[in-house]
Amino acid sequence: MRTAHVRPARRATAALVALALCLTACLAGMVAPRQASAMDVVRCTGRPNSSDDKTVIQGATQSRITFEATVEEGEGVSVLTLTIPQDTTFETDDLAVTLLSGTDLMTRNEVSYDLEVVGQNLVFNFDEPLAQAGHLNIIVYGVYFPQAGGDMQVEATYRLASGDEHDIEGIPVIPVQGISGTEALSQWLEQQPWVQAWNANRFLHLFFDPTILVTSFPVVLNGFFMSVAIVALSFPLAIPVALVLALMRLSKFVVWRGIATTYVNLMRGTPLFLQIYVAFFGLPLAGIQIPNFPLGVIVMTLNSGAYMCEIFRAGILSISKGQTEAARSLGMNRVQTMVYVILPQMFRIVIPNLTNEFITLYKDTSLLAAVGVMELVMYARTIVASTGSITPYIVAAAFYLVITLPLSKITRHLEESLRGGKKRKRASTAEKGADAQKEAAHA
Amino acid sequence: MAYVSRRALCTTGATAALACVLGLAGCNGGNASGTDAASGSSAGSAASASGDVTTMTSGTLTFATSPDYPPFENLENGEYVGLDMDLGRAIAEELGLECEYTNIDFDGIVPAIVAGGQADAGLSGISITPEREEQVDFSDPYYVDNQAVAVMSSNADITEDNATDALNQEGVKIAVQSGSTGEAFAAENFPNAELVSFPNFTDAFAAVNSGQAVAVCGNSAVVQQMLSGAYTDLHTVYTSATGEEYAIAVSKDNPELLAAINEAIATLQEDGTLDELIAKNMG
């Protein structure tokens, strides 16, 4: 029994000692080579090349590898071998090899070298062993990662003037994603003879480049949802605002009238563009912090409210006075008259105008692009700026039309039915009149 | 009614640019078969003083620029000032041409050069990138710039010592100019951060100042200029010698102009004028 107790204890101690030894060895192992080999990796990144997501690197699309490692004073690195991951192609025509020096590492020193390319290995034989402290920065252009993507591990070894070879350890992997469907389609299109013929025409190339059309479509679609979300929130919110403003403008009290009139005149008298600027850069300075999206919705609501107020006011005024008088004579009070008699008739009349306002509001969400709200135009604009093609704007235009064309058709229909309805009424009263005349004639 | 006036008021830079280029397209519609960049309005284009260079308007070299990017280009009392602007005038002088600037939003410059009819060349702190090279030709570079990140000086969370990690965090908002190399740089080096894009670089600084973003990332020279001028509450926490090259964009249909500009840049580099201009504008 006793021995049985002692044994596990001993084992535990032994295990602990072993663990401690192991840890020390590990630590020593980690530290020791660092001291001997002073080249440490600073960064190893690939240039994002996806139009869907600015931070995504995808396969089979042009990218660039930036590799940077430290060089110690007097180290004397004579050869550096950079191993590009398997199945990744690259160009060696314009490699950039620079030694960044100085305390802020901003001084660029040209490094002269002989390049040898062995398979995936780029072997830089430096004319002079690198002895100046700084960061060695190598940029490899024209890199195409494998189509399927995966974690790409760049490897690097270097040889000192003394002939010692060392690996540079801990180089971060470059996460590469498989090529997206649209990107693959775009590349396929680029190879097609008809696309090449199409793009040979300057106008078609600039405005309707099929390769950019397919890649920008899913990106701009994100903006479409954003724009629709903004308008879907701000339009219904603007209706009560506008209604209150309209009633204030029609109020008997000067103060209400004054407030509403000033507000409406201010909002309608200044460009929405400026109102957006004031809201986005002014309010935070006044200590009011609201995130981009709700702030955008609020500005659009307040602006649209002023325009809708005028629609409602005109609508209310267009209801004949007889309606009010009739309602009042039935014993309804002011509020009841407004709620049960005037407003229901007013809404019917203003629906076409409201639809127009909806269209205007939807298009005006594009102004939010100026303050960094990622809506339709902003997404398109980003691609335009980086590709230099107008095509994404055309895609954006299509997304506006998807909403505005059906809506204007509905507006026309509503307007016609409204006018038609009145005509029919008139026609029926005329018929009745005619009937009465006939009856009178008979008699 | 009310809507009409409102529509007229609400033209964004983007729509304006689009309308602008649409107008252009109308101009070029006649030669849709794509003969010459400098046709359309310039039916009467003639060789300039230097002999073999064709420009839009005979005797004048027109540059498209977006003057919101000091110290490279901005407007001071209606005058175009900055390194690019001085360089443009020097190049035009070398070529024996009049120098003229036309104001186009940055993202509209490359399309305008492709379409032709608006300007002969784009000179607006344009970095050479593979995407842009598909659309236009670039001259030899005249300036090498780096990237810098600035935050509010009062921000204790992001300092020069921890910037590399502190900026690459979930929830950190970095303001950038849309389509700029600063945007690409931030996406490559701070993939976890959230990028907020502004069409106008000045607004990216305003966004940091007003708390809409934590940091601003962009070309070093411009960041330094902004920090020494309008935005003294910010300070630089991170710089990287990316060595991106600024060059002049020229239509692919006008190799003669490209060659002439390259020649002029080489001359200005040799006689020290370029260095003088850089020293003068970068302070």
Side-chain angles (χ1 to χ4, degrees), chain A residues 203 207-208 390 394, chain B residues 15-29 115:
Chain A
F203 174 77
F207 282 82
F208 301 98
I390 291 290
I394 302 297
Chain B
T15 47
L18 182 56
C20 188
V21 184
L22 274 170
L24 246 185
C27 225
N28 270 6

Side-chain angles (χ1 to χ4, degrees), chain A residues 62 89-95 122 140-144:
Chain A
Q62 188 173 6
T89 60
F90 52 91
E91 281 165 20
T92 51
D93 294 344
D94 39 23
L95 284 165
L122 287 168
V140 185
Y141 290 94
V143 171
Y144 288 83

